Amino acid sequence: MAARTSFETRPCPIARSLDEVGEWWSILLLRDAFQGLTRFDQFQKSLDIAPNILTRRLNSLVERGLFEKRAYCERPLRHEYVLTAKGRDFRPVLLTLLAWGNRHLAPEGPSLVVVDTADGRWADPVLVDKETGRQLDSGGFVLATGPTASDRMRRRYRFSSEGPGLPLIENGGQGEARSR
């Protein structure tokens, strides 16, 4: 079996994020944790996952700071796995993935939805700019390299941004066209 390539030292935040949680069991464990599951047996029952794989995935999520391992029973020693602030910050990613899956991979209709507890209305998760409230998929936004980008990364993307509110700088890269 070939060794898995690690992206943790790559400069791209998307690659680093995939390295952190991109393995499917990890994402499903995070999904279940958002539903209140915390214990090994709960995760195992929910996912029907082999114990050795579950142990590796939980340990990895603890090592990466997405879960905190806490003892809840001394005899025999048992632990629960609780989301950390870093783990809780994954929730919008998970909800966006859910919306994308419902939109493109569920021709029979959604099997899981986000619901407003106040009125029962189904929510349609979208990403918005925190400052303006504009939807990020509505045009007028591009990926641009930041101040710490490598020369290789700058060649890959058409624009650079050296700070919030500063004009875009054209890199001459192959990236997407500028839209406003």
Side-chain angles (χ1 to χ4, degrees), residues 146-163:
T148 63
S150 66
D151 288 339
R152 181 175 184 225
M153 187 176 248
R154 289 179 193 281
R155 286 191 301 272
R156 187 178 305 136
Y157 293 91
R158 184 171 175 189
F159 296 104
S160 286
S161 176
E162 296 304 311

Side-chain angles (χ1 to χ4, degrees), residues 63-97:
E63 288 170 17
R64 294 173 181 276
L66 290 119
F67 281 152
E68 179 183 336
K69 186 176 179 179
R70 297 181 189 161
Y72 71 87
C73 182
E74 294 298 323
R75 290 185 182 224
L77 182 59
R78 301 267 190 232
H79 292 94
E80 63 182 355
Y81 298 86
V82 180
L83 288 164
T84 62
K86 182 178 178 180
R88 289 187 302 273
D89 279 349
F90 191 75
R91 190 166 195 262
V93 177
L94 197 64
L95 295 177
T96 303
L97 191 59

Side-chain angles (χ1 to χ4, degrees), residues 26-36 46-47 90 94 112:
S26 296
I27 294 172
L28 294 175
L29 285 164
L30 288 162
R31 176 203 63 191
D32 284 358
F34 284 114
Q35 297 306 308
S46 172
L47 297 173
F90 191 75
L94 197 64
L112 186 63

Side-chain angles (χ1 to χ4, degrees), residues 103-167:
R103 192 171 298 115
H104 298 287
L105 304 174
E108 70 285 358
S111 62
L112 186 63
V113 294
V114 181
V115 179
D116 186 328
T117 58
D119 61 12
R121 181 187 54 79
W122 285 12
D124 185 16
V126 296
L127 289 176
V128 298
D129 175 55
K130 187 176 181 178
E131 195 171 308
T132 66
R134 288 178 44 216
Q135 285 189 26
L136 294 179
D137 63 353
S138 65
F141 295 94
V142 297
L143 295 179
T145 58
T148 63
S150 66
D151 288 339
R152 181 175 184 225
M153 187 176 248
R154 289 179 193 281
R155 286 191 301 272
R156 187 178 305 136
Y157 293 91
R158 184 171 175 189
F159 296 104
S160 286
S161 176
E162 296 304 311
L166 297 177

